[in-house]
PDB file of all heavy atoms in Angstrom:
ATOM      1  N   PRO A 114     -73.012 233.321  -5.687  1.00 97.00           N
ATOM      2  CA  PRO A 114     -73.315 232.712  -6.981  1.00 97.00           C
ATOM      3  C   PRO A 114     -74.633 233.252  -7.525  1.00 97.00           C
ATOM      4  O   PRO A 114     -75.599 233.434  -6.774  1.00 97.00           O
ATOM      5  CB  PRO A 114     -73.418 231.214  -6.658  1.00 97.00           C
ATOM      6  CG  PRO A 114     -73.785 231.158  -5.209  1.00 97.00           C
ATOM      7  CD  PRO A 114     -73.156 232.370  -4.570  1.00 97.00           C
ATOM      8  N   ASP A 115     -74.669 233.523  -8.823  1.00 98.00           N
ATOM      9  CA  ASP A 115     -75.910 234.014  -9.421  1.00 98.00           C
ATOM     10  C   ASP A 115     -75.872 233.731 -10.924  1.00 98.00           C
ATOM     11  O   ASP A 115     -74.802 233.550 -11.493  1.00 98.00           O
ATOM     12  CB  ASP A 115     -76.076 235.517  -9.139  1.00 98.00           C
ATOM     13  CG  ASP A 115     -77.530 235.902  -8.940  1.00 98.00           C
ATOM     14  OD1 ASP A 115     -78.414 235.249  -9.553  1.00 98.00           O
ATOM     15  OD2 ASP A 115     -77.789 236.854  -8.197  1.00 98.00           O
ATOM     16  N   ARG A 159     -77.521 240.781  -8.828  1.00 97.00           N
ATOM     17  CA  ARG A 159     -78.195 240.099  -7.722  1.00 97.00           C
ATOM     18  C   ARG A 159     -79.620 239.774  -8.165  1.00 97.00           C
ATOM     19  O   ARG A 159     -80.327 240.633  -8.690  1.00 97.00           O
ATOM     20  CB  ARG A 159     -78.211 241.026  -6.510  1.00 97.00           C
ATOM     21  CG  ARG A 159     -79.009 240.579  -5.318  1.00 97.00           C
ATOM     22  CD  ARG A 159     -78.540 239.290  -4.707  1.00 97.00           C
ATOM     23  NE  ARG A 159     -77.771 239.431  -3.484  1.00 97.00           N
ATOM     24  CZ  ARG A 159     -77.398 238.382  -2.738  1.00 97.00           C
ATOM     25  NH1 ARG A 159     -77.737 237.147  -3.077  1.00 97.00           N
ATOM     26  NH2 ARG A 159     -76.676 238.566  -1.648  1.00 97.00           N
ATOM     27  N   THR A 160     -80.040 238.534  -7.952  1.00 97.00           N
ATOM     28  CA  THR A 160     -81.398 238.102  -8.294  1.00 97.00           C
ATOM     29  C   THR A 160     -82.252 238.004  -7.033  1.00 97.00           C
ATOM     30  O   THR A 160     -81.812 237.443  -6.033  1.00 97.00           O
ATOM     31  CB  THR A 160     -81.360 236.715  -8.962  1.00 97.00           C
ATOM     32  OG1 THR A 160     -80.512 236.773 -10.099  1.00 97.00           O
ATOM     33  CG2 THR A 160     -82.756 236.276  -9.378  1.00 97.00           C
ATOM     34  N   VAL A 161     -83.457 238.530  -7.093  1.00 97.00           N
ATOM     35  CA  VAL A 161     -84.384 238.414  -5.967  1.00 97.00           C
ATOM     36  C   VAL A 161     -85.697 237.840  -6.494  1.00 97.00           C
ATOM     37  O   VAL A 161     -86.219 238.279  -7.520  1.00 97.00           O
ATOM     38  CB  VAL A 161     -84.620 239.776  -5.280  1.00 97.00           C
ATOM     39  CG1 VAL A 161     -85.388 239.590  -3.979  1.00 97.00           C
ATOM     40  CG2 VAL A 161     -83.296 240.475  -4.996  1.00 97.00           C
ATOM     41  N   GLU A 165     -91.931 235.731  -7.976  1.00 94.00           N
ATOM     42  CA  GLU A 165     -92.420 234.386  -7.667  1.00 94.00           C
ATOM     43  C   GLU A 165     -93.044 234.333  -6.269  1.00 94.00           C
ATOM     44  O   GLU A 165     -94.090 233.712  -6.072  1.00 94.00           O
ATOM     45  CB  GLU A 165     -91.278 233.370  -7.780  1.00 94.00           C
ATOM     46  CG  GLU A 165     -91.747 231.947  -7.547  1.00 94.00           C
ATOM     47  CD  GLU A 165     -90.811 230.877  -8.115  1.00 94.00           C
ATOM     48  OE1 GLU A 165     -89.747 231.219  -8.650  1.00 94.00           O
ATOM     49  OE2 GLU A 165     -91.179 229.694  -8.016  1.00 94.00           O
ATOM     50  N   ARG A 173    -101.582 230.929  -3.827  1.00 91.00           N
ATOM     51  CA  ARG A 173    -101.650 229.595  -3.261  1.00 91.00           C
ATOM     52  C   ARG A 173    -101.580 229.537  -1.751  1.00 91.00           C
ATOM     53  O   ARG A 173    -101.933 228.520  -1.163  1.00 91.00           O
ATOM     54  CB  ARG A 173    -100.518 228.744  -3.854  1.00 91.00           C
ATOM     55  CG  ARG A 173    -100.605 228.686  -5.378  1.00 91.00           C
ATOM     56  CD  ARG A 173     -99.785 227.585  -5.966  1.00 91.00           C
ATOM     57  NE  ARG A 173     -98.359 227.901  -5.955  1.00 91.00           N
ATOM     58  CZ  ARG A 173     -97.495 227.483  -6.887  1.00 91.00           C
ATOM     59  NH1 ARG A 173     -97.911 226.716  -7.869  1.00 91.00           N
ATOM     60  NH2 ARG A 173     -96.232 227.797  -6.823  1.00 91.00           N
ATOM     61  N   SER A 174    -101.105 230.580  -1.090  1.00 92.00           N
ATOM     62  CA  SER A 174    -100.966 230.500   0.370  1.00 92.00           C
ATOM     63  C   SER A 174    -102.284 230.828   1.045  1.00 92.00           C
ATOM     64  O   SER A 174    -103.273 231.182   0.406  1.00 92.00           O
ATOM     65  CB  SER A 174     -99.899 231.488   0.850  1.00 92.00           C
ATOM     66  OG  SER A 174    -100.454 232.785   0.955  1.00 92.00           O
ATOM     67  N   VAL A 175    -102.296 230.747   2.365  1.00 91.00           N
ATOM     68  CA  VAL A 175    -103.497 231.089   3.138  1.00 91.00           C
ATOM     69  C   VAL A 175    -103.898 232.547   2.888  1.00 91.00           C
ATOM     70  O   VAL A 175    -105.074 232.910   3.045  1.00 91.00           O
ATOM     71  CB  VAL A 175    -103.255 230.848   4.644  1.00 91.00           C
ATOM     72  CG1 VAL A 175    -102.249 231.852   5.197  1.00 91.00           C
ATOM     73  CG2 VAL A 175    -104.549 230.905   5.436  1.00 91.00           C
ATOM     74  N   GLU A 202     -86.256 243.162   9.163  1.00 90.00           N
ATOM     75  CA  GLU A 202     -86.363 241.948   9.965  1.00 90.00           C
ATOM     76  C   GLU A 202     -87.826 241.556  10.210  1.00 90.00           C
ATOM     77  O   GLU A 202     -88.119 240.437  10.616  1.00 90.00           O
ATOM     78  CB  GLU A 202     -85.648 242.114  11.313  1.00 90.00           C
ATOM     79  CG  GLU A 202     -86.356 242.986  12.348  1.00 90.00           C
ATOM     80  CD  GLU A 202     -86.187 244.482  12.096  1.00 90.00           C
ATOM     81  OE1 GLU A 202     -85.580 244.856  11.077  1.00 90.00           O
ATOM     82  OE2 GLU A 202     -86.681 245.264  12.927  1.00 90.00           O
ATOM     83  N   THR A 205     -91.186 238.561   7.299  1.00 90.00           N
ATOM     84  CA  THR A 205     -91.974 237.320   7.305  1.00 90.00           C
ATOM     85  C   THR A 205     -93.087 237.384   8.339  1.00 90.00           C
ATOM     86  O   THR A 205     -94.138 236.768   8.165  1.00 90.00           O
ATOM     87  CB  THR A 205     -91.091 236.069   7.533  1.00 90.00           C
ATOM     88  OG1 THR A 205     -90.432 236.170   8.790  1.00 90.00           O
ATOM     89  CG2 THR A 205     -90.077 235.916   6.425  1.00 90.00           C
ATOM     90  N   ALA A 206     -92.872 238.133   9.420  1.00 92.00           N
ATOM     91  CA  ALA A 206     -93.920 238.256  10.425  1.00 92.00           C
ATOM     92  C   ALA A 206     -95.078 239.123   9.923  1.00 92.00           C
ATOM     93  O   ALA A 206     -96.232 238.899  10.305  1.00 92.00           O
ATOM     94  CB  ALA A 206     -93.349 238.837  11.717  1.00 92.00           C
ATOM     95  N   PHE A 209     -98.487 237.278   7.765  1.00 96.00           N
ATOM     96  CA  PHE A 209     -99.730 236.732   8.319  1.00 96.00           C
ATOM     97  C   PHE A 209    -100.666 237.845   8.808  1.00 96.00           C
ATOM     98  O   PHE A 209    -101.890 237.650   8.864  1.00 96.00           O
ATOM     99  CB  PHE A 209     -99.436 235.744   9.456  1.00 96.00           C
ATOM    100  CG  PHE A 209    -100.645 234.976   9.888  1.00 96.00           C
ATOM    101  CD1 PHE A 209    -101.129 233.924   9.120  1.00 96.00           C
ATOM    102  CD2 PHE A 209    -101.338 235.311  11.052  1.00 96.00           C
ATOM    103  CE1 PHE A 209    -102.266 233.218   9.497  1.00 96.00           C
ATOM    104  CE2 PHE A 209    -102.474 234.614  11.440  1.00 96.00           C
ATOM    105  CZ  PHE A 209    -102.937 233.564  10.662  1.00 96.00           C
ATOM    106  N   GLU A 210    -100.093 238.991   9.124  1.00 97.00           N
ATOM    107  CA  GLU A 210    -100.921 240.147   9.501  1.00 97.00           C
ATOM    108  C   GLU A 210    -101.955 240.481   8.424  1.00 97.00           C
ATOM    109  O   GLU A 210    -103.028 241.011   8.725  1.00 97.00           O
ATOM    110  CB  GLU A 210    -100.023 241.370   9.659  1.00 97.00           C
ATOM    111  CG  GLU A 210     -99.805 241.819  11.076  1.00 97.00           C
ATOM    112  CD  GLU A 210     -98.991 243.090  11.112  1.00 97.00           C
ATOM    113  OE1 GLU A 210     -99.553 244.182  10.869  1.00 97.00           O
ATOM    114  OE2 GLU A 210     -97.782 242.978  11.385  1.00 97.00           O
ATOM    115  N   ALA A 213    -104.846 238.314   9.150  1.00 97.00           N
ATOM    116  CA  ALA A 213    -105.514 238.711  10.399  1.00 97.00           C
ATOM    117  C   ALA A 213    -106.244 240.043  10.234  1.00 97.00           C
ATOM    118  O   ALA A 213    -107.345 240.229  10.769  1.00 97.00           O
ATOM    119  CB  ALA A 213    -104.492 238.794  11.532  1.00 97.00           C
ATOM    120  N   ALA A 240     -82.249 244.593   0.422  1.00 95.00           N
ATOM    121  CA  ALA A 240     -81.215 243.612   0.085  1.00 95.00           C
ATOM    122  C   ALA A 240     -80.293 244.114  -1.021  1.00 95.00           C
ATOM    123  O   ALA A 240     -79.127 243.720  -1.088  1.00 95.00           O
ATOM    124  CB  ALA A 240     -81.856 242.294  -0.331  1.00 95.00           C
TER     125      ALA A 240
ATOM    126  N   PRO B 114    -102.694 243.157  14.321  1.00 97.00           N
ATOM    127  CA  PRO B 114    -103.778 242.173  14.342  1.00 97.00           C
ATOM    128  C   PRO B 114    -103.208 240.764  14.196  1.00 97.00           C
ATOM    129  O   PRO B 114    -102.297 240.542  13.415  1.00 97.00           O
ATOM    130  CB  PRO B 114    -104.625 242.551  13.124  1.00 97.00           C
ATOM    131  CG  PRO B 114    -103.692 243.266  12.202  1.00 97.00           C
ATOM    132  CD  PRO B 114    -102.681 243.960  13.080  1.00 97.00           C
ATOM    133  N   ARG B 159     -97.444 236.569  18.169  1.00 97.00           N
ATOM    134  CA  ARG B 159     -97.043 236.927  16.811  1.00 97.00           C
ATOM    135  C   ARG B 159     -97.002 235.646  15.971  1.00 97.00           C
ATOM    136  O   ARG B 159     -96.444 234.652  16.395  1.00 97.00           O
ATOM    137  CB  ARG B 159     -95.667 237.573  16.871  1.00 97.00           C
ATOM    138  CG  ARG B 159     -94.996 237.861  15.549  1.00 97.00           C
ATOM    139  CD  ARG B 159     -95.769 238.817  14.678  1.00 97.00           C
ATOM    140  NE  ARG B 159     -95.243 240.165  14.636  1.00 97.00           N
ATOM    141  CZ  ARG B 159     -95.672 241.090  13.757  1.00 97.00           C
ATOM    142  NH1 ARG B 159     -96.621 240.801  12.869  1.00 97.00           N
ATOM    143  NH2 ARG B 159     -95.186 242.305  13.784  1.00 97.00           N
ATOM    144  N   THR B 160     -97.632 235.689  14.798  1.00 97.00           N
ATOM    145  CA  THR B 160     -97.639 234.541  13.891  1.00 97.00           C
ATOM    146  C   THR B 160     -96.669 234.782  12.744  1.00 97.00           C
ATOM    147  O   THR B 160     -96.666 235.861  12.157  1.00 97.00           O
ATOM    148  CB  THR B 160     -99.046 234.350  13.297  1.00 97.00           C
ATOM    149  OG1 THR B 160     -99.977 234.197  14.363  1.00 97.00           O
ATOM    150  CG2 THR B 160     -99.090 233.118  12.398  1.00 97.00           C
ATOM    151  N   VAL B 161     -95.877 233.774  12.412  1.00 97.00           N
ATOM    152  CA  VAL B 161     -94.961 233.861  11.271  1.00 97.00           C
ATOM    153  C   VAL B 161     -95.199 232.635  10.376  1.00 97.00           C
ATOM    154  O   VAL B 161     -95.279 231.513  10.856  1.00 97.00           O
ATOM    155  CB  VAL B 161     -93.491 233.921  11.723  1.00 97.00           C
ATOM    156  CG1 VAL B 161     -92.595 234.251  10.535  1.00 97.00           C
ATOM    157  CG2 VAL B 161     -93.304 234.962  12.824  1.00 97.00           C
ATOM    158  N   GLU B 165     -95.295 227.452   6.063  1.00 94.00           N
ATOM    159  CA  GLU B 165     -95.911 227.528   4.735  1.00 94.00           C
ATOM    160  C   GLU B 165     -94.909 228.015   3.688  1.00 94.00           C
ATOM    161  O   GLU B 165     -94.863 227.487   2.569  1.00 94.00           O
ATOM    162  CB  GLU B 165     -97.144 228.442   4.778  1.00 94.00           C
ATOM    163  CG  GLU B 165     -97.862 228.486   3.443  1.00 94.00           C
ATOM    164  CD  GLU B 165     -99.313 228.957   3.536  1.00 94.00           C
ATOM    165  OE1 GLU B 165     -99.773 229.305   4.646  1.00 94.00           O
ATOM    166  OE2 GLU B 165     -99.984 228.968   2.494  1.00 94.00           O
ATOM    167  N   ARG B 173     -92.793 223.987  -4.647  1.00 91.00           N
ATOM    168  CA  ARG B 173     -93.421 224.531  -5.850  1.00 91.00           C
ATOM    169  C   ARG B 173     -92.619 225.605  -6.562  1.00 91.00           C
ATOM    170  O   ARG B 173     -92.879 225.901  -7.719  1.00 91.00           O
ATOM    171  CB  ARG B 173     -94.804 225.079  -5.485  1.00 91.00           C
ATOM    172  CG  ARG B 173     -95.691 223.981  -4.892  1.00 91.00           C
ATOM    173  CD  ARG B 173     -97.135 224.369  -4.830  1.00 91.00           C
ATOM    174  NE  ARG B 173     -97.425 225.342  -3.801  1.00 91.00           N
ATOM    175  CZ  ARG B 173     -98.574 225.407  -3.145  1.00 91.00           C
ATOM    176  NH1 ARG B 173     -99.543 224.560  -3.429  1.00 91.00           N
ATOM    177  NH2 ARG B 173     -98.775 226.319  -2.224  1.00 91.00           N
ATOM    178  N   SER B 174     -91.654 226.224  -5.902  1.00 92.00           N
ATOM    179  CA  SER B 174     -90.927 227.315  -6.561  1.00 92.00           C
ATOM    180  C   SER B 174     -89.806 226.753  -7.427  1.00 92.00           C
ATOM    181  O   SER B 174     -89.557 225.545  -7.464  1.00 92.00           O
ATOM    182  CB  SER B 174     -90.329 228.248  -5.506  1.00 92.00           C
ATOM    183  OG  SER B 174     -89.111 227.714  -5.021  1.00 92.00           O
ATOM    184  N   VAL B 175     -89.098 227.636  -8.104  1.00 91.00           N
ATOM    185  CA  VAL B 175     -87.957 227.222  -8.930  1.00 91.00           C
ATOM    186  C   VAL B 175     -86.888 226.531  -8.079  1.00 91.00           C
ATOM    187  O   VAL B 175     -86.105 225.724  -8.594  1.00 91.00           O
ATOM    188  CB  VAL B 175     -87.358 228.445  -9.661  1.00 91.00           C
ATOM    189  CG1 VAL B 175     -86.695 229.383  -8.677  1.00 91.00           C
ATOM    190  CG2 VAL B 175     -86.365 228.036 -10.728  1.00 91.00           C
ATOM    191  N   GLU B 202     -82.059 241.834   6.277  1.00 90.00           N
ATOM    192  CA  GLU B 202     -82.431 242.486   5.027  1.00 90.00           C
ATOM    193  C   GLU B 202     -82.052 241.648   3.810  1.00 90.00           C
ATOM    194  O   GLU B 202     -82.521 241.893   2.705  1.00 90.00           O
ATOM    195  CB  GLU B 202     -81.794 243.876   4.927  1.00 90.00           C
ATOM    196  CG  GLU B 202     -80.315 243.911   4.610  1.00 90.00           C
ATOM    197  CD  GLU B 202     -79.425 243.614   5.809  1.00 90.00           C
ATOM    198  OE1 GLU B 202     -79.955 243.291   6.896  1.00 90.00           O
ATOM    199  OE2 GLU B 202     -78.185 243.688   5.660  1.00 90.00           O
ATOM    200  N   THR B 205     -84.673 237.755   1.226  1.00 90.00           N
ATOM    201  CA  THR B 205     -85.272 237.377  -0.061  1.00 90.00           C
ATOM    202  C   THR B 205     -84.217 237.257  -1.152  1.00 90.00           C
ATOM    203  O   THR B 205     -84.374 236.486  -2.088  1.00 90.00           O
ATOM    204  CB  THR B 205     -86.384 238.362  -0.494  1.00 90.00           C
ATOM    205  OG1 THR B 205     -85.836 239.673  -0.624  1.00 90.00           O
ATOM    206  CG2 THR B 205     -87.508 238.385   0.513  1.00 90.00           C
ATOM    207  N   ALA B 206     -83.129 238.012  -1.023  1.00 92.00           N
ATOM    208  CA  ALA B 206     -82.063 237.911  -2.023  1.00 92.00           C
ATOM    209  C   ALA B 206     -81.298 236.596  -1.896  1.00 92.00           C
ATOM    210  O   ALA B 206     -80.806 236.051  -2.882  1.00 92.00           O
ATOM    211  CB  ALA B 206     -81.110 239.097  -1.899  1.00 92.00           C
ATOM    212  N   PHE B 209     -82.634 232.967  -4.077  1.00 96.00           N
ATOM    213  CA  PHE B 209     -82.250 232.522  -5.423  1.00 96.00           C
ATOM    214  C   PHE B 209     -80.820 231.977  -5.457  1.00 96.00           C
ATOM    215  O   PHE B 209     -80.479 231.164  -6.319  1.00 96.00           O
ATOM    216  CB  PHE B 209     -82.420 233.661  -6.445  1.00 96.00           C
ATOM    217  CG  PHE B 209     -82.279 233.190  -7.864  1.00 96.00           C
ATOM    218  CD1 PHE B 209     -83.307 232.493  -8.474  1.00 96.00           C
ATOM    219  CD2 PHE B 209     -81.113 233.410  -8.587  1.00 96.00           C
ATOM    220  CE1 PHE B 209     -83.182 232.037  -9.782  1.00 96.00           C
ATOM    221  CE2 PHE B 209     -80.977 232.949  -9.890  1.00 96.00           C
ATOM    222  CZ  PHE B 209     -82.009 232.262 -10.495  1.00 96.00           C
ATOM    223  N   GLU B 210     -79.997 232.424  -4.498  1.00 97.00           N
ATOM    224  CA  GLU B 210     -78.644 231.891  -4.383  1.00 97.00           C
ATOM    225  C   GLU B 210     -78.643 230.369  -4.249  1.00 97.00           C
ATOM    226  O   GLU B 210     -77.688 229.706  -4.671  1.00 97.00           O
ATOM    227  CB  GLU B 210     -77.991 232.462  -3.122  1.00 97.00           C
ATOM    228  CG  GLU B 210     -76.911 233.474  -3.377  1.00 97.00           C
ATOM    229  CD  GLU B 210     -76.261 233.899  -2.069  1.00 97.00           C
ATOM    230  OE1 GLU B 210     -75.405 233.163  -1.548  1.00 97.00           O
ATOM    231  OE2 GLU B 210     -76.643 234.971  -1.578  1.00 97.00           O
ATOM    232  N   ALA B 213     -78.731 229.100  -7.722  1.00 97.00           N
ATOM    233  CA  ALA B 213     -77.475 229.388  -8.429  1.00 97.00           C
ATOM    234  C   ALA B 213     -76.335 228.534  -7.882  1.00 97.00           C
ATOM    235  O   ALA B 213     -75.483 228.058  -8.647  1.00 97.00           O
ATOM    236  CB  ALA B 213     -77.139 230.874  -8.320  1.00 97.00           C
ATOM    237  N   ALA B 240     -87.573 238.670  13.638  1.00 95.00           N
ATOM    238  CA  ALA B 240     -88.864 239.359  13.749  1.00 95.00           C
ATOM    239  C   ALA B 240     -89.485 239.207  15.136  1.00 95.00           C
ATOM    240  O   ALA B 240     -90.244 240.069  15.575  1.00 95.00           O
ATOM    241  CB  ALA B 240     -89.827 238.809  12.692  1.00 95.00           C
TER     242      ALA B 240
END
Side-chain angles (χ1 to χ4, degrees):
Chain A
D115 215 329
R159 173 61 103 173
T160 304
V161 190
E165 183 160 3
R173 302 196 285 212
S174 82
V175 69
E202 74 281 4
T205 60
F209 190 76
E210 252 184 79
Chain B
R159 173 61 104 169
T160 303
V161 190
E165 183 160 2
R173 301 194 287 212
S174 82
V175 68
E202 75 281 4
T205 60
F209 190 76
E210 252 184 80

